[in-house]
Amino acid sequence: LTNNGATEGASTPFAASTVSADLEADSTQHLTAPDNDSLDITGSITIEAWVNPESLALYNEILIKGRDGLISNSRTNYALRLEDSGKITFYYNDGTNYHLFKTDAVQISTATWAHVAAVYTFGTPGSAIIYKDAVSVAASWTFGAGDQPGVANVDKLVLGEIYVDATPAESFDGMMDEIRIWNKALDSTQIAMN
């Protein structure tokens, strides 16, 4: 895991690693990084990850910068997850409402590695794209319209889970690797290089 190629240090949430994370469902296994200005993204964003789920529960968080909507002061800056149907979802909270951009069809199977990516410019609905294995897939705003700006927060970045009132939930069951968060919108050629 890297923070946009930065070297390890006090201001960098993650250091480079050559080992994929193998997370178990219904556990407290997850990775976190403290809040950091480089992770507070409200302009353009690209999130990428290699995932290999062992099972798919209702929601399977790949990563989230924020907290669950059940918390009254929730402000999810951004999140990427898989759903039990195998659909890929990018979502955020604008400080009042959630906005979910989800693939129209099943994309992910268990026991198979896949590269997933979401690209979006906050407040610009037509900019949202989801990729599976470097190919854009049909997706749409299924909740909210994606027409509101993003809201930075002081919450940590969590990989593999979400927190509901400080209790871990929506655990990812399987392996993930090469997770990248960019503060720019990568194009299809750049996505294919990863």
Side-chain angles (χ1 to χ4, degrees):
L1 303 172
T2 63
N3 182 13
N4 202 11
T7 57
E8 184 177 4
S11 64
T12 305
F14 292 119
S17 172
T18 58
V19 180
S20 62
D22 187 0
L23 307 173
E24 300 301 323
D26 301 322
S27 73
T28 58
Q29 293 182 338
H30 60 274
L31 302 168
T32 64
D35 182 46
N36 183 288
D37 288 345
S38 68
L39 296 173
D40 292 330
I41 301 171
T42 58
S44 294
I45 187 169
T46 301
I47 303 170
E48 300 179 87
W50 280 93
V51 295
N52 184 352
E54 292 175 20
S55 66
L56 289 170
L58 181 60
Y59 300 121
N60 310 269
E61 295 298 320
I62 296 171
L63 66 80
I64 182 169
K65 174 70 168 72
R67 292 174 281 168
D68 183 70
L70 298 177
I71 298 172
S72 60
N73 61 352
S74 174
R75 287 202 167 98
T76 299
N77 190 180
Y78 50 83
L80 185 64
R81 72 178 178 208
L82 305 178
E83 297 191 6
D84 60 345
S85 62
K87 293 182 178 182
I88 305 163
T89 302
F90 166 83
Y91 67 97
Y92 74 99
N93 185 298
D94 63 23
T96 304
N97 298 303
Y98 274 92
H99 301 264
L100 282 75
F101 189 70
K102 184 188 311 187
T103 57
D104 296 338
V106 172
Q107 298 297 325
I108 301 299
S109 303
T110 58
T112 303
W113 280 102
H115 182 262
V116 297
V119 178
Y120 176 60
T121 298
F122 287 95
T124 309
S127 70
I129 305 170
I130 293 180
Y131 293 89
K132 183 211 173 200
D133 295 331
V135 176
S136 65
V137 294
S140 56
W141 292 100
T142 60
F143 191 86
D147 59 348
Q148 299 299 311
V151 178
N153 60 41
V154 295
D155 295 312
K156 61 188 168 190
L157 177 73
V158 181
L159 286 78
E161 284 185 329
I162 193 171
Y163 280 84
V164 179
D165 294 325
T167 302
E170 301 179 11
S171 301
F172 185 91
D173 180 25
M175 293 183 283
M176 58 175 70
D177 201 1
E178 297 186 38
I179 298 149
R180 296 182 173 125
I181 303 168
W182 305 83
N183 61 355
K184 61 183 177 179
L186 298 185
D187 62 30
S188 58
T189 302
Q190 293 168 314
I191 295 286
M193 293 172 54
N194 293 322

